[in-house]
């Protein structure tokens, strides 16, 4: 992952996930108001479930791809954990990243089981999501030993979004369907996505000069950038929400049942 | 902002905001008890909304003024972010402050939209307020590199109020209309207001000798001052609450519908 | 306060407060089950209120005494904050302690007003209590500059109880009358009380040799002592709860209305 | 405890406790859905209580055994706290461990009283459990003075599970019977169990070479191991939950009343 592409890829995934979640929750919130008759409700619940299953499958697929890419991509450990010749751990960074993907894969698996079989309580998917985000932040936290000051700083800033999402997903166990929490989670996911791109641009500038990793002014500038990313993510989520809303509920008072 | 006036101005804004919120929530709490007939309730709800719209407009106006003043005031960056001649970031402190105002402006904008159009869920304004305060504290936290010990300390003390307000505003998403939380938020806003003045007096004394920024006794004194500001803010909020109350509910048991 | 007596006195106050609260809440919990007839309930509510008023008055009285003792006791600042001759702050420790008492006095004042006039919402007393504890912990935190390692440690341990009580009192705003939270608060108050005594014995041993403030073994021992104080406080609160219970509800199933 | 066996033993206890709790809560959750007739419900509640009493007795027994083993095992302090000859505290580590067992013993005692006599409110057992876990983490935190970097790190990682369980048990005071929280607690208990084994293998390898306690790569590897333990614990809890479920509710829609 120590490359521009290695940051742009997960960034794109989180960005797409954040945008997709925003659209999904906005539609659900718009149609929820609409107290339709029994059969319509049932139909909409079945279609919701179908959507969840598709979403979980896609996340599971990309988690597997991510794990395989980390393991068997160029410079990956190819499932070898310990280098017995040189007597040291092999490619620990790749293993760390694969472990992060693993937990998102576990989230997707559990979500898939919940929505296909009803075997487990519904709120379990939020707990698994919270754990996946927590694990991501936890590994990042112990990932930064001996790096440059700015390098550490841009990764620590990421943790605000990651642990923020952990907290929000955990709260959703108790407040499922709260649109405020859902949109906040979407916003933080978009922040993660754009911030991964930013980190790529700062640490591995595709062109132009290198950044001075020890300049405190750069740190102050990057911190402010993080606020701007947050504002930008809030803007994207708001605009998406309004578009979905005006599409589903064109007259304002009555929302169409399916949109 | 590195001046006495630069601290007195935001201090005054927060002070006024804290006092205004105290009056507003006190009136609403006093009249809420009063289970009036349907039409009166409706009228009062309409007048509440009008008040919220005016308030949001005023906050939006001052946020814009603040941003413009930081950018185009004397010594401001005039929208220039990077000094290509000297090859360093330009006026990062002013940009930081403008970013803080930006988030309060976003809060006001969203609040305005919520109360004029009903497009978004009501609780969103509390989330935006929580984010605005969080962003203020977040930028302050990475703002203090290389300053004197007392300078850092007075700014860190401010963060108790700022992050306290973040937490309270976040809790209000789930407990909207809880007078205890509302008054606590008012109190912390007043603390912020008076503390900004205090910081101005300590770091840029308008007359009299400079403070020794390295004396631990000064730190201990300033810490105690913070407690006194808190006690003073609690006093102001209490007195205002009682005045409003005795004005709205003169006989104690029955409160007039409009006060 | 830098003496054995200076720690034994507040310790005694907290110990008495913790024991008193345990008895009070145990009685209320025992009689609450008892769904008496309207008039009895009313009588019991009036007697509860009377009890709260007496309690608040006592706390207010001792807060005033504490403030006066800190100011005018031997070695106190006698309301003089700045020594203009020597050009330094005067007796900041005494001022800190007086400020701590001030906040408990404010709590008692507000509690008195709430229970005599009904002017303010009931939950406000828990908020004031939370703020009083928070302020105590906050001042302690910035109180420890330049002291010996063990001295700092014993005061930091105290903060677990103090900030624990802050949290519990804050939660009680939303869960008033939850016996679990009330007993937890009682326990932590007793811990505070006995721990103040312990601190007195360690830092100012009335007889016997001085403690070595730099020995890490002493730190490990003291930490374990804190656990023992907690266990001891839990024991006291449990025993008191059981005594009150068996006195109020002698037959187990039916509790007498007044005990 | 400074040995392989000293870590394997508590690890085994936590592992067994985690597995047992998973089975218990899974059965209860499976049968709870089943709205049986009054008498069946009553019977099931009586059998639940019997189970709780047996569980508490077993925990109490092992806490006592643990305390006695720490005190009178080879190299134990034999209740002697201070070595008056050499003038230092005696065997503080053993005393620390005994204190940890003490709090789990207190939890078991209170749980026993609650479920045999109904003298105390039900939620008290969760508070006692939270306090027992908090105390364990609290003592671990001040237990690590002057040890090697990796030694400190593996113990700090344990604190994530310990304080996580504290938080979950505390939340269960308010959300008793929430299967998500219960399974999370089970998972963290299993993590504690397997991690104690891991710590034993790392610090006191039964065979093979010693670990280099200062190698940052070892730290990164161990951190990742913790994530794997978490994933493994989640797997165990999930599999157990599914087995119990398919056994109790073979047809999916209807669960047998007793399983």
């Amino acid at each position: 992952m120590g490359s521009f592409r290695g940051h742009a890829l997960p960034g794109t995934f989180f960005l797409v996930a954040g945008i997709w979640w925003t659209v999904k929750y906005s539609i659900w919130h718009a149609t929820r108001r609409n107290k339709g008759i029994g059969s319509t409700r049932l139909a909409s619940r079945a279609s919701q479930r179908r959507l969840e299953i598709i979403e979980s499958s896609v996340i599971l697929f990309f988690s597997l791809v991510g794990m395989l890419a980390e393991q068997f991509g160029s410079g990956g450990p190819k499932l070898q954990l310990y280098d017995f010749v040189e007597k040291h751990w092999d490619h620990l960074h790749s293993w760390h990243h694969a472990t992060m993907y693993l937990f998102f894969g576990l989230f997707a698996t559990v979500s898939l089981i919940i929505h296909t079989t009803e075997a487990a309580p519904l709120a379990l998917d939020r707990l698994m999501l919270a754990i996946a985000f927590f694990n991501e932040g936890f590994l990042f936290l112990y990932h930064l030993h001996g790096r440059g000051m700015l390098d550490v700083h841009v990764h620590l800033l990421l943790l605000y979004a990651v642990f923020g999402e952990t907290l929000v997903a955990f709260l959703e166990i108790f407040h499922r369907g709260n649109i405020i929490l859902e949109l906040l989670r979407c916003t933080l996911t978009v922040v993660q996505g754009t911030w991964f791109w930013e980190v790529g641009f700062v640490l591995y500038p595709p062109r132009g000069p290198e950044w001075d990793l020890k300049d405190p002014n750069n740190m102050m500038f990057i911190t402010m950038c993080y606020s701007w990313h947050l504002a930008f993510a809030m803007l994207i989520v708001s605009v998406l929400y309004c578009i979905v809303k005006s599409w589903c509920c064109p007259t304002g008072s009555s929302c169409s049942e399916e949109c």
Side-chain angles (χ1 to χ4, degrees), chain A residues 7-246:
Chain A
H7 285 88
L9 269 170
T12 309
F13 291 142
F14 280 116
L15 194 57
V16 170
I19 289 171
W20 159 240
W21 280 346
T22 309
V23 173
K24 186 178 80 170
Y25 293 125
S26 300
I27 291 178
W28 288 0
H29 186 247
T31 53
R32 207 186 307 160
R33 296 183 155 204
N34 191 19
K35 294 191 189 78
I37 21 169
S39 61
T40 327
R41 287 230 74 115
L42 221 67
S44 110
R45 203 167 287 175
S47 76
Q48 278 189 19
R49 171 173 290 184
R50 215 174 312 124
L51 219 59
E52 293 279 32
I53 292 170
I54 296 169
E55 183 192 310
S56 303
S57 310
V58 172
I59 295 177
L60 183 56
F61 173 72
F62 278 112
S63 300
L64 289 173
V65 168
M67 275 188 276
L68 293 175
E70 286 290 342
Q71 287 290 339
F72 300 102
S74 67
K78 295 179 182 56
L79 294 179
Q80 189 191 0
L81 189 53
Y82 194 75
D83 185 335
F84 286 96
V85 182
E86 309 250 345
K87 293 204 176 300
H88 63 70
W89 302 105
D90 211 33
H91 296 96
L92 275 179
H93 278 92
S94 294
W95 277 100
H96 266 206
H97 299 143
T99 304
M100 292 182 194
Y101 290 127
L102 172 68
F103 274 75
F104 283 101
L106 288 177
F107 154 63
T109 311
V110 168
S111 182
L112 208 57
I113 293 171
I114 289 171
H115 291 105
T116 46
T117 69
E118 292 206 322
L122 206 57
L124 198 61
D125 62 346
R126 294 297 193 270
L127 176 64
M128 294 300 295
L129 189 60
I131 291 177
F133 279 125
F134 174 78
N135 181 66
E136 187 196 350
F138 167 76
L139 285 178
F140 264 124
L141 205 58
Y142 293 101
H143 202 68
L144 305 169
H145 186 85
R147 299 202 189 179
M149 190 180 72
L150 192 65
D151 194 343
V152 168
H153 187 61
V154 291
H155 283 97
L156 285 184
L157 288 178
L158 192 65
L159 295 184
Y160 282 92
V162 175
F163 286 129
E165 291 196 85
T166 306
L167 179 68
V168 172
F170 192 80
L171 284 176
E172 281 188 88
I173 296 174
F174 305 100
H175 298 275
R176 196 184 182 85
N178 183 320
I179 186 70
I180 304 288
L181 289 180
E182 285 166 349
L183 291 183
L184 179 55
R185 179 153 56 85
C186 295
T187 306
L188 292 174
T189 312
V190 173
V191 168
Q192 262 208 72
T194 58
W195 192 250
F196 263 113
W197 277 86
E198 176 86 41
V199 172
F201 274 110
V202 168
L203 299 184
Y204 313 96
R207 61 189 149 188
E210 299 272 319
W211 287 56
D212 178 356
L213 296 187
K214 282 172 193 158
D215 182 0
N217 278 317
N218 279 340
M219 260 186 72
M220 272 191 70
F221 171 69
I222 282 293
T223 307
M224 185 172 56
C225 274
Y226 196 73
S227 288
W228 293 356
H229 278 252
L230 179 57
F232 175 70
M234 280 154 64
L235 188 73
I236 288 188
V237 169
S238 308
V239 167
L240 281 174
Y241 178 85
C242 290
I243 291 175
V244 167
K245 183 113 202 184
S246 63

